[in-house]
Amino acid sequence: MDRPDITIVIPALNEEKTIPYFIKETEKVRKSLGMEFEYLFIDDGSTDGTLEMLKKLSKASDTVHYISFSRNFGKEAAIYAGLSHAKGELVAIMDADLQDPPSLLPEMIRSIREDGVDCVGTRRVSRKGEPKIRSFFARCFYRLINRLSKTEVVDGARDYQLMNRKVVEAILSMGEYNRFSKGIFGWVGYKKKWLEYENVERVAGETKWSFWKLFAYAIDGIVAFSTAPLTFASLVGTLFCLVAFIMIIVIVIKTLAFGDPTSGWPSMVCILLLVSGVQLFCIGILGQYLAKTYLETKKRPIYLVAEQELGEETR
Ligand code: UDP
Ligand code: MG
């Protein structure tokens, strides 16, 4: 088999309802372009009929391939697995739920082939159809991480992007276990162009991200791409030492000058509580980094494959 023009990597967790729509819409675009696509689905430990559907599809067509994980490893791991096995000249990452409109593909391909960019990313400029509170926290997160990290994490950026081999290899060279894709994509650099579009709601099924899952993801992102919280902990520590030092001097002078009346017990308890609170908070920050370091040093595999069908080897 020749190298396909484009490999589309599709992480899928319980997407039996959306996959048929996805293929139908993307095929329309492919036909209009007259190109060869390879569809590489990553079944991320689905518990519905996703795997059976993928098996059927890959049997029926030699452009559909799949990798099925031994359990749920998360979208980040699925993206890594997909990029590792993609055969195409260009590689796109797309969600199965059509929230990443295939209609943007022609413009993305044109940008890479004609404008000489290495990667075309997409950004949704609105978040319509999403709960207000979720949008609010998302915005806060982007503001925070961009202040804390030197790596640019673009607000509203999707994982939906088309890239050439150079960028794919660069992303794969980052073999870390804690994979925060939005940061990794920014970190590798290269010439990147952004396309903007209005948010689209998923065609069927449900989102896999609960509020708490997103919250944990946000913490992961900050820990993975910034060490500013550690600096913050040392700064707060220094500040408290300074305050304590001044207070000691004040109290010593006061005691020498005016004697030692035993008042001030409540204020002391307050200070004690505050300081130990800050201490625990800072130890917590340290713990976050230590935990991530611990996991990295174990060098566990990013994903495990239960079964796969990848067609003929071309690489
Ligand atoms: N997904 C995955 N593993 C996960 C969670 C999600 O492979 O643990 C896939 C999911 O099947 C979908 C894409 O990642 O194709 C985006 O997920 P979803 O649409 O639920 O997220 P949202 O668009 O709501 O952010
Ligand atoms: Mg979605």
Side-chain angles (χ1 to χ4, degrees):
M1 195 173 93
D2 288 335
R3 210 181 247 284
D5 296 304
I6 298 181
T7 295
I8 301 190
V9 171
I10 311 119
L13 169 62
N14 299 339
E15 299 285 6
E16 63 174 350
K17 288 202 192 103
T18 61
I19 289 173
Y21 292 105
F22 176 83
I23 300 242
K24 198 169 131 225
E25 289 301 312
T26 317
E27 274 296 285
K28 271 190 217 160
V29 175
R30 186 193 66 77
K31 281 184 191 133
S32 74
L33 287 164
M35 285 183 162
E36 244 182 73
F37 281 12
E38 175 197 21
Y39 295 96
L40 179 50
F41 286 92
I42 318 296
D43 164 34
D44 185 13
S46 299
T47 47
D48 65 353
T50 301
L51 180 59
E52 282 64 44
M53 171 172 283
L54 292 178
K55 279 186 186 166
K56 233 190 282 162
L57 286 169
S58 82
K59 211 170 252 166
S61 151
D62 54 3
T63 58
V64 178
H65 302 137
Y66 68 85
I67 296 174
S68 179
F69 285 175
S70 61
R71 63 168 170 85
N72 177 258
F73 278 88
K75 188 182 177 187
E76 312 290 312
I79 291 176
Y80 184 80
L83 295 184
S84 320
H85 292 93
K87 299 179 191 130
E89 201 71 54
L90 302 176
V91 181
I93 300 167
M94 287 174 90
D95 286 2
D97 57 5
L98 282 178
Q99 280 192 298
D100 297 334
S103 55
L104 294 178
L105 281 172
E107 172 62 17
M108 293 164 100
I109 296 164
R110 200 200 57 75
S111 296
I112 291 195
R113 295 216 165 143
E114 289 166 28
D115 302 346
V117 296
D118 298 301
C119 179
V120 184
T122 57
R123 238 186 109 217
R124 42 179 188 177
V125 282
S126 71
R127 286 178 170 267
K128 81 173 167 359
E130 199 184 64
K132 284 257 175 334
I133 183 98
R134 194 163 153 171
S135 308
F136 170 75
F137 279 110
R139 250 181 230 122
C140 292
F141 166 69
Y142 283 110
R143 216 168 295 155
L144 184 68
I145 195 163
N146 278 312
R147 196 155 291 176
L148 293 182
S149 171
K150 285 195 196 96
T151 305
E152 200 193 1
V153 183
V154 177
D155 187 1
R158 304 273 308 168
D159 290 333
Y160 181 23
Q161 59 175 351
L162 181 71
M163 53 209 148
N164 63 16
R165 282 270 138 212
K166 248 194 305 190
V167 180
V168 173
E169 297 307 327
I171 292 172
L172 288 177
S173 73
M174 295 176 78
E176 59 216 70
Y177 182 75
N178 296 291
R179 303 191 69 76
F180 180 66
S181 289
K182 288 181 199 321
I184 290 178
F185 296 162
W187 194 90
V188 295
Y190 292 104
K191 263 185 245 152
K192 186 156 189 174
K193 186 176 152 179
W194 290 95
L195 295 185
E196 296 185 343
Y197 70 99
E198 293 279 327
N199 190 31
V200 188
E201 287 181 52
R202 56 161 50 236
V203 277
E206 269 154 38
T207 174
K208 311 298 176 308
W209 297 87
S210 65
F211 180 80
W212 287 111
K213 215 170 152 190
L214 278 176
F215 185 76
Y217 185 62
I219 301 278
D220 279 352
I222 292 172
V223 173
F225 280 89
S226 166
T227 48
L230 288 173
T231 318
F232 167 80
S234 337
L235 282 180
V236 173
T238 317
L239 189 77
F240 271 68
C241 285
L242 212 73
V243 173
F245 187 69
I246 295 170
M247 272 168 69
I248 288 170
I249 295 176
V250 170
I251 288 169
V252 166
I253 294 174
K254 230 170 105 181
T255 314
L256 289 178
F258 304 107
D260 183 20
T262 23
S263 65
W265 169 243
S267 55
M268 187 147 109
V269 171
C270 290
I271 292 170
L272 211 73
L273 282 178
L274 175 71
V275 174
S276 41
V278 171
Q279 255 172 14
L280 281 181
F281 179 69
C282 291
I283 293 176
I285 294 180
L286 204 68
Q288 287 291 329
Y289 284 89
L290 191 66
K292 296 294 176 208
T293 316
Y294 176 59
L295 286 176
E296 290 294 345
T297 53
K298 285 186 183 230
K299 293 238 173 299
R300 284 181 181 161
I302 295 168
Y303 62 89
L304 290 174
V305 176
E307 50 184 297
Q308 61 184 26
E309 193 284 303
L310 292 167
E312 289 166 41
E313 210 49 61
T314 46
R315 293 225 275 164

